[in-house]
Amino acid sequence: MNKYMKMAINEAKKGIRNGHGGPFGAVIVRNDEVIAKGHNQVVKNNDPTCHGEIMAIHKACKKLGTFDLSGCEIYTTGEPCPMCMAAILWANIEKIYYGCNILDTEEIGFRDKKFYEQFENREQLIHELDRKECLKLYGEYKRISDKVNY
């Protein structure tokens, strides 16, 4: 068994045994060094965004003092849901290793597959509104000279 996946599994066990949420743990590694670990804390925090991958990303960014996790890889017990996948991409994590896939996750009662399907039909979910006013806001931001675009 891969040592980092074993750590992710142990992190997930810690979470489920403490009633924090589902069986999802994650470990972020850079240059063979563990940067951060996280587990699902949706139930503990009453927050649907507290997935294992997100918690690990928060800790890694805080530890490294940056929002750019280039050079890192993540090991996670379940294939990342769309929210976690987006967070991983925004963080520039370069490789993802996962244990169970979306169908495995569905088998234990989670609905990740539904969210992937909704993204394919996103036109039914999102609607453009007040674009002209929002473009003014974007213009203000564009004029800032010392900003970081990510």
Side-chain angles (χ1 to χ4, degrees):
M1 173 183 285
N2 177 278
K3 67 181 177 179
Y4 300 123
M5 186 60 77
K6 186 174 183 173
M7 287 180 197
I9 291 167
N10 287 335
E11 186 68 20
K13 285 179 182 180
K14 183 168 88 174
I16 61 174
R17 290 175 181 163
N18 286 303
H20 294 173
F24 308 107
V27 175
I28 295 176
V29 177
R30 184 174 67 186
N31 298 326
D32 211 28
E33 175 192 350
V34 174
I35 304 299
K37 297 184 240 178
H39 62 267
N40 185 293
Q41 295 185 39
V42 169
V43 174
K44 177 185 178 190
N45 295 332
N46 288 317
D47 183 341
T49 67
C50 291
H51 290 196
E53 297 93 334
I54 303 286
M55 302 308 287
I57 289 169
H58 285 182
K59 289 178 182 178
C61 289
K62 186 172 183 175
K63 180 177 180 177
L64 297 176
T66 181
F67 53 81
D68 184 357
L69 299 179
S70 293
C72 292
E73 49 195 31
I74 190 166
Y75 295 78
T76 180
T77 56
E79 185 173 349
C81 72
M83 176 182 69
C84 292
M85 181 62 81
I88 290 165
L89 294 173
W90 276 108
N92 290 319
I93 293 173
E94 296 171 5
K95 237 178 221 179
I96 303 165
Y97 299 97
Y98 66 88
C100 293
N101 63 41
I102 294 166
L103 297 176
D104 298 326
T105 303
E106 186 176 40
E107 280 290 316
I108 61 167
F110 290 86
R111 52 197 173 125
D112 299 36
K113 184 178 172 191
K114 174 185 173 184
F115 296 120
Y116 275 103
E117 291 167 355
Q118 285 180 317
F119 272 96
E120 290 174 12
N121 299 309
R122 69 187 200 104
E123 300 81 23
Q124 297 172 15
L125 298 172
I126 62 173
H127 310 280
E128 189 176 287
L129 179 68
D130 293 327
R131 181 171 181 258
K132 189 174 179 180
E133 292 304 311
C134 292
L135 281 172
K136 289 178 188 176
L137 173 68
Y138 277 29
E140 180 181 333
Y141 182 78
K142 189 176 181 180
R143 291 187 292 278
I144 298 171
S145 61
D146 62 344
K147 65 183 176 281
V148 176
N149 285 333
Y150 213 68

